[in-house]
Amino acid sequence: MKPAPFDLCIAETVEDVTGALASHGETARVIAGGQSLMAMLNMRLTEPDLLIDISRIPGLDRITVDQTGVTVGATVRQAELAAHAEAREAVPLLAEALSHVGHIQTRNRGTVCGSLAHADPSAELPLMLVLLGGSVTLASAQGRRTVAAEDFLTGTLTTSRRPDEMIVSAHFPRPPAGAKTAFREIARRHGDFAIVSLACIAQGRNLRLAVGGVADAPVAVDLADVSAETLPAQLNALAWRLRGYDDIHATARYRREMIRRLGLDMIMEAMA
Amino acid sequence: MKILKDGSKTQVSFTLNGTEVDGYAEPRTLLSDFLRHEIGASGTHVACEHGVCGACTVVVDGKAVRSCLMLAAQAEGKEIRTIEGLAASDDSFNKLQDAFHKRFALQCGFCTPGILMTLSSLQDSGRRYTEPEIREALSGNICRCTGYREIVDAALDVLGDRVVA
């Protein structure tokens, strides 16, 4: 199908965008790479009055790597972050997770911040943001604010972004020095939406575990004093807490079982 | 800041296969439709129109992308290559097309332009690829006829990291 008609704003500055969002609110949508939004427009799942193209705004395409981690501007493509040598070195897990995001043809256009804004519950980049304790910086005509991952990703395709705000950047902190990380997901085919995605950071017997695709947003938990003996019970408790949901791809029961099995497998790899 | 009004058409120009082209597009016109209906370059095929099948793959600024997930207006000033750009002036095949011919890597041929554009973008890097890398790249292109074996073989003939007898 084709998109319903809309006006198209080719923005040149962040102020162009925040000004247009202030006057149009929920009837406007921001587009950068469009790899989620264009499909929704084509299927008429969303019919905005105004589409604001931010892809030509100078300065939003920067990747900054410092001691704290990796900061990614709003128009940085997924393929660009995956290929960025310093970012790969700072947070190796990011590149690993990015290789599961769609296909090369969509990663070449899809942006990192766009995937966060879309907030698919099983998507890899929101999972990474929650696992690493990252944040998103939003701009509006009133100013800027930075929101922690858990406060930003509030549910299925839902974030705490206000209708007058755009994402200007996302920050992925480095894992603690010496920590080991791992990532797993299960999908019907490589590049499909994950049914369940998991990632962890292990430091000795302390573990931070993030789970996507089970609850309606990715969830991270910190587990202390983890061992091969305690883990099955801990993962089982987490699986029941997150409950899962039935859909065309899998049952809630299957999703919980993936936490128990894939989770155990991944954590043992990270802690080995 | 420029605002393109719903229903009105604005000029869009870009480089298509080395030649400057232009046409008129509504804000909502997809690049795939602009190429086919406005420019008349109908070699780029359209199937699912929501970014899943890869039939509409074109190369924009050196990168393979879905032309159904891009607005014509977003192509302004870009350098775009499509299947028409692979044809030599004497209509002979390039190496990839030749390998597809020899390996029977198509049946109905509907997905072939998209697949050739994905592979052409790999070819530009000048490096060689392993079979898993080729399969990963092609995972973004759906073919309903061949079962992929012949496509992968043809791709490996030209881009593969092993010598073919």
Side-chain angles (χ1 to χ4, degrees):
Chain A
M1 271 170 69
K2 317 292 178 191
F6 50 76
D7 293 343
L8 178 63
C9 167
I10 314 281
E12 284 156 22
T13 63
V14 170
E15 290 68 37
D16 286 348
V17 184
T18 55
L21 287 173
S23 54
H24 285 78
E26 281 175 22
T27 62
R29 295 294 300 263
V30 169
I31 189 164
Q35 299 303 285
S36 303
L37 184 54
M38 280 304 305
M40 293 179 74
L41 288 167
N42 287 358
M43 292 191 280
R44 301 201 179 191
L45 296 173
T46 180
E47 298 188 12
D49 294 336
L50 177 70
L51 201 59
I52 307 167
D53 183 8
I54 63 167
S55 62
R56 290 176 197 260
I57 299 178
L60 288 183
D61 58 348
R62 290 198 194 113
I63 300 171
T64 316
V65 181
D66 60 19
Q67 292 96 322
T68 64
V70 180
T71 306
V72 183
T75 62
V76 171
R77 314 274 182 201
Q78 291 150 7
E80 289 167 350
L81 182 60
H84 194 277
E86 274 181 84
R88 291 175 72 102
E89 188 267 320
V91 189
L93 208 49
L94 266 182
E96 188 180 342
L98 277 164
S99 73
H100 294 268
V101 179
H103 307 282
I104 55 164
Q105 299 89 341
T106 59
R107 292 195 293 272
N108 280 338
R109 261 195 88 66
T111 63
V112 174
C113 291
S115 174
L116 298 174
H118 186 59
D120 187 287
S122 70
E124 294 82 0
L125 288 165
L127 180 79
M128 288 298 124
L129 199 73
V130 167
L131 175 77
L132 296 163
S135 60
V136 165
T137 298
L138 299 153
S140 74
Q142 268 77 51
R144 296 193 175 200
R145 64 178 181 128
T146 296
V147 182
E150 287 95 338
D151 299 328
F152 180 71
L153 300 159
T154 51
T156 303
L157 309 186
T158 312
T159 68
S160 58
R161 183 188 73 84
R162 293 193 310 255
D164 66 337
E165 289 179 311
M166 70 170 280
I167 299 180
V168 282
S169 66
H171 181 67
F172 296 90
R174 286 177 192 257
K180 291 183 177 167
T181 56
F183 172 83
R184 285 279 196 291
E185 75 169 40
I186 185 149
R188 297 285 290 185
R189 287 168 301 247
H190 184 87
D192 273 14
F193 287 108
I195 297 170
V196 173
S197 53
L198 299 136
C200 71
I201 302 172
Q203 266 186 305
R205 296 183 66 180
N206 292 327
L207 184 81
R208 183 168 170 83
L209 169 66
V211 181
V214 183
D216 63 355
V219 172
V221 290
D222 291 294
L223 303 172
D225 214 18
V226 171
S227 70
E229 290 73 45
T230 64
L231 255 179
Q234 287 169 311
L235 291 173
N236 183 47
L238 178 64
W240 283 110
R241 203 193 101 196
L242 301 184
R243 301 181 61 93
Y245 50 87
D246 296 327
D247 68 8
I248 188 173
H249 304 293
T251 59
R253 181 182 175 185
Y254 179 88
R255 291 182 153 89
R256 291 192 294 269
E257 191 64 8
M258 285 304 106
I259 295 183
R260 299 183 192 105
R261 295 192 187 204
L262 269 189
L264 186 64
D265 186 48
M266 173 186 73
I267 294 164
M268 293 328 275
E269 177 199 289
M271 295 183 70
Chain B
M1 177 171 67
K2 203 162 51 170
I3 304 230
L4 312 178
K5 284 304 219 184
D6 141 38
S8 68
K9 290 189 169 184
T10 37
Q11 191 175 27
V12 175
S13 50
F14 51 78
T15 310
L16 180 63
N17 301 317
T19 308
E20 282 293 319
V21 296
D22 60 67
Y24 289 83
E26 282 185 51
R28 64 169 171 158
T29 305
L30 305 176
L31 176 60
S32 46
D33 287 336
F34 185 79
L35 286 168
R36 291 174 56 85
H37 306 307
E38 185 71 12
I39 304 296
S42 57
T44 299
H45 290 172
V46 173
C48 79
E49 231 166 30
H50 61 274
V52 175
C53 75
C56 68
T57 303
V58 300
V59 177
V60 177
D61 288 345
K63 312 270 189 204
V65 305
R66 315 265 200 235
S67 60
C68 76
L69 293 188
M70 191 167 164
L71 296 169
Q74 292 179 311
E76 175 67 37
K78 306 275 184 197
E79 197 264 304
I80 297 178
R81 283 189 290 133
T82 61
I83 187 72
E84 286 88 351
L86 300 189
S89 53
D90 62 353
D91 279 345
S92 61
F93 287 161
N94 76 5
K95 279 188 184 169
L96 274 172
Q97 290 170 309
D98 202 40
F100 268 58
H101 182 221
K102 284 193 181 130
R103 291 282 192 176
F104 296 95
L106 61 137
Q107 190 171 316
C108 84
F110 190 85
C111 67
T112 312
I115 289 178
L116 285 173
M117 294 324 288
T118 292
L119 294 173
S120 295
S121 75
L122 301 187
Q123 198 176 20
D124 294 339
S125 73
R127 58 172 278 237
R128 312 293 288 186
Y129 294 84
T130 62
E131 180 172 338
E133 285 173 328
I134 293 281
R135 284 189 176 274
E136 146 98 48
L138 290 174
S139 70
N141 291 88
I142 291 174
C143 170
R144 299 281 79 149
C145 304
T146 63
Y148 303 101
R149 179 72 258 173
E150 296 83 355
I151 297 174
V152 171
D153 285 344
L156 285 170
D157 282 357
V158 181
L159 304 169
D161 62 351
R162 54 190 153 85
V163 177
V164 188

